[in-house]
Amino acid sequence: DTEVTQTPKHLVMGMTNKKSLKCEQHMGHRAMYWYKQKAKKPPELMFVYSYEKLSINESVPSRFSPECPNSSLLNLHLHALQPEDSALYLCASSPSSGNTGELFFGEGSRLTVL
Amino acid sequence: KNQVEQSPQSLIILEGKNCTLQCNYTVSPFSNLRWYKQDTGRGPVSLTIMTFSENTKSNGRYTATLDADTKQSSLHITASQLSDSASYICVAADYKLSFGAGTTVTVRA
C-alpha cells in the first residue's frame, strides 16, 4: 500500500463552522505533513509531525489545529476560518522527517470557506 | 526570494513531441532535487529524486538531469501523451524542501 488517503475530497464551510480534515497512511512512515496550496502556486508547508510529535509549525494561525492521534493518522481541525483560507490542503508522508526520503502526497482536500 | 526558479511558466506541445523543462536552484547545502507531476486539483506525484552525485535519472518517458555545479536541472518528456498535461514542479532540498512555481504543460492532439 503506497497511498496517502485524505477525506473529505471537498469541503464547504462557513466562517463560524468547526470541521476537520483527515489523512491516513499505512506505509509505516514516521513523518507526516500538512501543506496548503492556492491555485497556480506551489504547496506551502504548514506542519510537520515526526514520530507523532509536532516538530514544525510554519507560523500557521491558530484557527488551524493539527493532531496526530497515532502513527497512521493525521488530522487538521478547522475553526473560524476566513475566505482567504480556501485552498487545496495536501497531506503527505515520508519514511522520516529528514529531507532525503521520498515524499508521498494524498489527493488533497479542496476547502471552500464562505 | 524563491530559491527555485522554473522555466518556462507554461508550454503547449503536440502529442508525440518532446519537450524540456528547466529548473535553477540556489539552496545550500544541497541535498537532493526532485521533480513532481501534479494534475489539476490532485496531489503531486513523484517522478524522480536525485542526489548531488547523480547526473541523470529516468522514469519511463521522463528523464531528469542534474548539474550540481551550475545548480541546474531539467526534465525531458519524450513522445508526449495527452495524459502528460499537468503542472511539473521542481523541488530542491537542503534542510527543508523549496518548491518551484511549476511549469504547466498542455499536450494537444
Side-chain angles (χ1 to χ4, degrees):
Chain A
D1 184 359
T2 57
E3 285 189 345
V4 175
T5 304
Q6 290 188 242
T7 56
K9 293 191 187 308
H10 300 276
L11 177 63
V12 179
M13 60 185 291
M15 289 188 285
T16 59
N17 292 157
K18 285 185 180 181
K19 297 287 185 182
S20 297
L21 305 180
K22 298 184 184 300
C23 176
E24 189 169 0
Q25 59 89 13
H26 295 290
M27 294 178 278
H29 289 175
R30 306 311 303 209
M32 296 186 76
Y33 310 75
W34 280 115
Y35 285 84
K36 172 183 178 181
Q37 187 177 27
K38 303 284 277 185
K40 300 189 185 301
K41 298 289 187 182
E44 298 176 3
L45 182 65
M46 300 175 71
F47 303 104
V48 180
Y49 272 82
S50 180
Y51 290 87
E52 302 167 43
K53 295 193 186 305
L54 183 64
S55 61
I56 295 176
N57 176 342
E58 291 285 354
S59 302
V60 179
S62 59
R63 57 186 184 269
F64 295 92
S65 175
E67 178 197 18
C68 189
N70 60 56
S71 61
S72 298
L73 296 174
L74 185 66
N75 299 322
L76 186 62
H77 302 299
L78 314 170
H79 175 54
L81 294 192
Q82 304 296 312
E84 59 265 29
D85 296 322
S86 298
L88 182 68
Y89 288 83
L90 295 164
C91 175
S93 71
S94 64
S96 68
S97 59
N99 288 317
T100 57
E102 190 68 80
L103 193 62
F104 293 82
F105 285 91
E107 293 285 1
S109 292
R110 171 70 62 188
L111 173 67
T112 302
V113 182
L114 301 176
Chain B
K1 185 182 188 300
N2 196 359
Q3 298 189 77
V4 180
E5 300 288 343
Q6 292 187 242
S7 63
Q9 185 175 11
S10 63
L11 66 92
I12 300 173
I13 58 173
L14 292 177
E15 188 177 14
K17 298 297 186 182
N18 305 335
C19 68
T20 300
L21 316 179
Q22 301 292 341
C23 174
N24 296 335
Y25 63 92
T26 60
V27 300
S28 180
F30 173 74
S31 174
N32 58 76
L33 191 289
R34 305 149 185 245
W35 284 94
Y36 289 88
K37 176 187 179 187
Q38 185 174 24
D39 293 319
T40 302
R42 310 284 291 272
V45 175
S46 177
L47 295 176
T48 63
I49 177 171
M50 292 183 292
T51 63
F52 68 92
S53 62
E54 297 176 286
N55 298 120
T56 185
K57 182 167 280 190
S58 292
N59 178 354
R61 293 178 297 100
Y62 301 101
T63 299
T65 66
L66 174 65
D67 186 333
D69 292 329
T70 62
K71 297 190 175 183
Q72 295 179 325
S73 178
S74 67
L75 182 69
H76 186 74
I77 305 175
T78 302
S80 61
Q81 300 177 0
L82 297 178
S83 59
D84 293 329
S85 295
S87 177
Y88 291 84
I89 304 173
C90 175
V91 182
D94 47 15
Y95 65 94
K96 63 182 177 68
L97 298 182
S98 294
F99 287 74
T103 293
T104 300
V105 174
T106 302
V107 181
R108 295 256 169 91

